[in-house]
Each structure stands twice: as C-alpha cells, then as structure tokens.
Amino acid sequence: MSLELSVVVPMYNEQEVLPLFVERLRPVLDATGADYEVLAVDDGSRDQTPVLLQRFLRDWPQLRVVRLRANAGHQAAISAGLAAARGDWVATIDADLQDPPEVIAEMLEVGRRDGVDVVYGVRGDRTSDSPFKRRTARGFYRVMRTLGDVDAPVDAGDFRLMSRATVDAVNALPEQGRVLRLIVPTLGFPSTSVSYRRDERAAGESKYPLSKMLKLTLDSVTGFSHAPLRLATWFGLAGFVVATGLLVYALAAKLLDVTVAGWTSTVVIVAGFAAVQLLCLGILGEYVGRMYTAQQARPTYYVAYDSLEPRQGEQGR
C-alpha cells in the first residue's frame, strides 16, 4: 500500500509520556488528510512502553510497532525506523513532546509546496532548555561546521521531514555509528526549515544525559572531520621543531661549557612531550577504532518484532 507519510518515533522507557504523545499526535496526522503510518521503534524499553504500544495498536490502525531486541541507542533506533518506513515523506520526532507534533503538518505543507527534499525543524525558542544546554548545543554545531565542513542548521536536532529520495540515500550508506543530524545535511539535497518553540519534556526523564551527549560529540567529530588527525600531525611537527631546538641548545651548551641547571627542566620537557604523544595516540586510536568497527560490519540493531510483518530474529544493520 502506498503511503504519503511515515512518522518515525524512537522510544526508550517512555511510559509516562506515551499517552500524552499519542493524544497530541493522532489528531494532527488525521487532519493532514494524508495516508500515513506512525512507526514506533521500541528501543529495548524496560518499563511498560511495549505494553502501552500494544494497547494503542488495537485502537489505532495507522500505528506500527517495531521492537528492537536490545537497546541500541537513539540514532540506531531512528535508523531502524528509516529502514522500515514506507511513506513518500518520512518525519522523525522524539516522544518527549519537546518537539511539538503539530509542526509535522506544517513541515508536510512546506515540503509539498516548495518541492524540497528536507524540512528541518529549527528550535527558534529554546528558553525551556538550561543555559548550559543551549550554549553547548550551539557550540556543537559551530564546531562541526568549522571542523567538518558540515552545513548543518544550528539548533536543529533530529526533528525533520525527509523525502523518499533522502531516506533511500541515508539507508544506502554503509556507515556505522551514524549521526543523522549531520549525515542528512552532508547529502546536500534541497532543504528548508520551519521554526518552532522547544517545550519542556512533558513527562519522564531525559534519555540524553551528559555522557551520551559527549559520546555523540565524539562520534560526530571523528565521523565527519579529519581536523583531529591534522591536529596530531601539527603536534608532531611542533614537537620535532622543539626537540631540534633543544638538541641545538644542548650541543651549544656543551661546546661553550655551559652547565644546564637541575632536573626540573628535564622533567618538564619529558612530561610535555609525553602529554603530546598520548594526546596524538588517543586521537589516532579513535579513528582506528572506527575503522575496526566498520570492518567488522556488525549490525547496530536487531529487529525482534514488526507488527506489520511479525518475523522473529530479523537482523538489522
């Protein structure tokens, strides 16, 4: 069956907010007049989220539940939804109601009217976020635009609408550890944006603590920029120049019979070079680790159940 719209919703332990999310999302999609599906990707939830999804499944024909066998992470869950989505347009949105479902209708209208492939949801008002989160988020996008030459819209997360061509292009990528908020802009497809006010989480707890934000940043930098490798190269060159200078100084001091004072300077020099070497090794290790993971080609998620075609043990990517 041909569908105009698929809405992919990654979920992990969202039992508190799920009823509120469905209550707001369903009327919005019904009012669009589009043939649609809501693809709820249960990312290995350990609370009552799977039970609630099965209840909503009985009363909402357009709801489709895909359950992952284990928690694979936010980006992997979105990737699983994109791989399964059937719509000509595919929207991605979190279930916490910080991104308002009502904006999906506006995105669809803009996509139809302007003939673009991507409609980004841009957070024009982020007063509900803490000052720390606002500053770090903007810093993240500025760093990626500088280091990785990625023209990603500032204050745009994973709330977006994509055409079928865009989704097919993303699904065709073999990349492991995807960061979709950067992958989609790098495709360079025609795009526009819709501004909205970001609300506070309606219920439950955030699934993106500081540790996951740092991991996302590290994956983004090593996945989209060679700048850290160049930084290691420059550190190496700088170390070579300094070492050469010290060698010349040591030879001159010996020839002139000048005594070099104490061990403090020696310890400082050795410690400084050791720090630079460890930093360079760490940077190189991150890239080698990504290459090793890509070579293994292990799936990032496993689909345990799909309410559309229930098949046990289906393997993802």
Side-chain angles (χ1 to χ4, degrees), residues 88-112:
D88 297 329
W89 294 94
V90 180
T92 56
I93 184 174
D94 292 340
D96 55 15
L97 291 176
Q98 288 190 282
D99 301 327
E102 293 78 11
V103 178
I104 294 177
E106 183 180 357
M107 287 179 168
L108 185 60
E109 181 182 353
V110 170
R112 289 167 171 169

Side-chain angles (χ1 to χ4, degrees), residues 5-63:
L5 176 65
S6 294
V7 179
V8 174
V9 189
M11 298 182 180
Y12 179 66
N13 293 345
E14 299 289 5
Q15 63 179 15
E16 290 90 353
V17 75
L18 185 53
L20 299 174
F21 178 74
V22 171
E23 182 180 344
R24 283 183 59 178
L25 179 64
R26 186 173 183 177
V28 171
L29 298 182
D30 288 341
T32 63
D35 292 327
Y36 71 88
E37 67 175 352
V38 175
L39 213 163
V41 182
D42 178 15
D43 188 20
S45 297
R46 298 182 179 181
D47 61 358
Q48 295 299 307
T49 297
V51 176
L52 292 175
L53 286 175
Q54 290 301 315
R55 291 177 183 172
F56 289 123
L57 191 62
R58 291 195 294 265
D59 300 326
W60 193 2
Q62 291 87 356
L63 179 62

Side-chain angles (χ1 to χ4, degrees), residues 241-291:
V241 171
V242 173
T244 303
L246 290 173
L247 178 61
V248 172
Y249 172 76
L251 291 174
K254 183 174 181 62
L255 292 174
L256 297 174
D257 197 23
V258 178
T259 303
V260 179
W263 57 271
T264 303
S265 58
T266 303
V267 171
V268 170
I269 293 170
V270 171
F273 274 100
V276 171
Q277 288 175 338
L278 289 174
L279 177 61
C280 294
L281 285 174
I283 293 172
L284 294 172
E286 288 294 330
Y287 282 89
V288 171
R290 289 184 67 88
M291 292 170 60

Side-chain angles (χ1 to χ4, degrees), residues 11 18 25-26 35 41 89 148 159 169 178 197 216 218 222 229 235 255 261 273 289 306 309:
M11 298 182 180
L18 185 53
L25 179 64
R26 186 173 183 177
D35 292 327
V41 182
W89 294 94
F159 185 30
R178 292 175 175 176
R197 182 184 185 278
L216 180 68
L218 186 60
T222 56
L229 287 176
F235 272 141
L255 292 174
F273 274 100
D306 186 336
E309 299 177 2

Side-chain angles (χ1 to χ4, degrees), residues 206-217:
S206 173
K207 306 307 184 298
Y208 250 100
L210 181 60
S211 59
K212 288 190 176 181
M213 292 173 62
L214 291 174
K215 182 180 183 301
L216 180 68
T217 301

